[in-house]
Amino acid sequence: MSAYETIQPPFTLNFREMPKKELRAYFKWFQEIMQGRIEQLASTVQSPGFENWKPNFSPDSLNALGEWFATQIETRPRTQEEIDAFNAQAPFRIELSGPELTNRTFWIAMDIGMYLNQVFLRNHPSLKWDQPLGGKRFVDYGQPVLVGFHGGKVPLNSVRLLVTLAYGLRDNRRGGGRLREIYDIWSKAIT
């Protein structure tokens, strides 16, 4: 696997616990780092087998990007602390299956999520950025999302979607073509 520059966010990323002022600062930070993260992604993707990939923000660019992503999934054993923390918030004890994704994999998922957002925005100008700050029980509370899907009722959190895809790739339940499928499915929901 090639080197991939990860960064440490200046936030806890425990969105439900963050004060609204800190959430707004996170949203601003996310927007500010996006271009640099997409550049990092592009320079890393253009590796043997993917030399011709260009971040041109076209839906077709997602095909090769998804295939590349499928080759980049790395895992590590879960720590006892992670297992205990998960079970502390669960209503009953659950045996966690499979290893955990590495920080590198999480960052790649985040960066591809940022790129996917830009593909949507450039190809569907009716979409807009938002940051849900209503109820803390909302799954995407405090996180950058795109709105304009399903009559404005369902926001798209591309980063969360890409992390979910990474777990599917880890378990061989999904292939790299799923990235383009995600774009096509959500494009049909734009109102």
Side-chain angles (χ1 to χ4, degrees):
M1 302 275 172
S2 61
Y4 197 81
E5 181 184 328
T6 61
I7 57 176
Q8 180 62 44
F11 305 94
T12 66
L13 302 186
N14 188 353
F15 295 101
R16 287 177 179 83
E17 303 300 320
M18 294 166 66
K20 286 187 179 179
K21 183 177 180 181
E22 192 174 344
L23 288 169
R24 288 184 192 97
Y26 172 77
F27 184 79
K28 183 176 187 250
W29 174 82
F30 183 92
Q31 300 290 323
E32 288 172 350
I33 68 162
M34 191 175 320
Q35 184 58 42
R37 296 309 304 170
I38 291 172
E39 289 169 7
Q40 167 72 37
L41 178 68
S43 69
T44 305
V45 172
Q46 294 164 342
S47 59
F50 300 93
E51 305 88 349
N52 297 324
W53 184 78
K54 300 281 185 253
N56 62 12
F57 304 102
S58 71
D60 285 343
S61 70
L62 299 172
N63 296 325
L65 182 57
E67 294 303 324
W68 175 82
F69 186 39
T71 70
Q72 300 300 306
I73 304 303
E74 296 176 341
T75 61
R76 61 169 177 76
R78 292 181 195 270
T79 66
Q80 189 60 49
E81 183 179 289
E82 290 170 328
I83 294 168
D84 292 344
F86 178 84
N87 281 313
Q89 56 88 32
F92 49 88
R93 186 163 180 76
I94 297 174
E95 288 299 319
L96 296 174
S97 64
E100 182 56 272
L101 301 173
T102 63
N103 283 344
R104 177 184 184 277
T105 302
F106 279 116
W107 267 106
I108 292 172
M110 183 172 181
D111 293 346
I112 293 174
M114 289 178 174
Y115 180 77
L116 179 60
N117 284 329
Q118 292 304 309
V119 174
F120 274 114
L121 289 166
R122 293 181 189 211
N123 290 281
H124 302 283
S126 64
L127 299 175
K128 304 286 182 235
W129 281 108
D130 193 23
Q131 183 183 32
L133 294 174
K136 288 187 176 188
R137 291 181 162 213
F138 182 58
V139 67
D140 294 323
Y141 175 79
Q143 299 177 54
V145 298
L146 292 181
V147 294
F149 302 93
H150 296 285
K153 295 177 183 164
V154 181
L156 172 64
N157 181 338
S158 292
V159 172
R160 182 171 48 82
L161 214 55
L162 264 292
V163 168
T164 302
L165 176 57
Y167 282 110
L169 293 168
R170 174 199 71 183
D171 298 339
N172 294 315
R173 288 180 289 137
R174 296 288 182 206
R178 185 65 175 168
L179 180 59
R180 175 59 188 264
E181 290 173 14
I182 289 169
Y183 176 83
D184 291 340
I185 290 166
W186 280 85
S187 289
K188 290 175 186 169
I190 295 172
T191 53

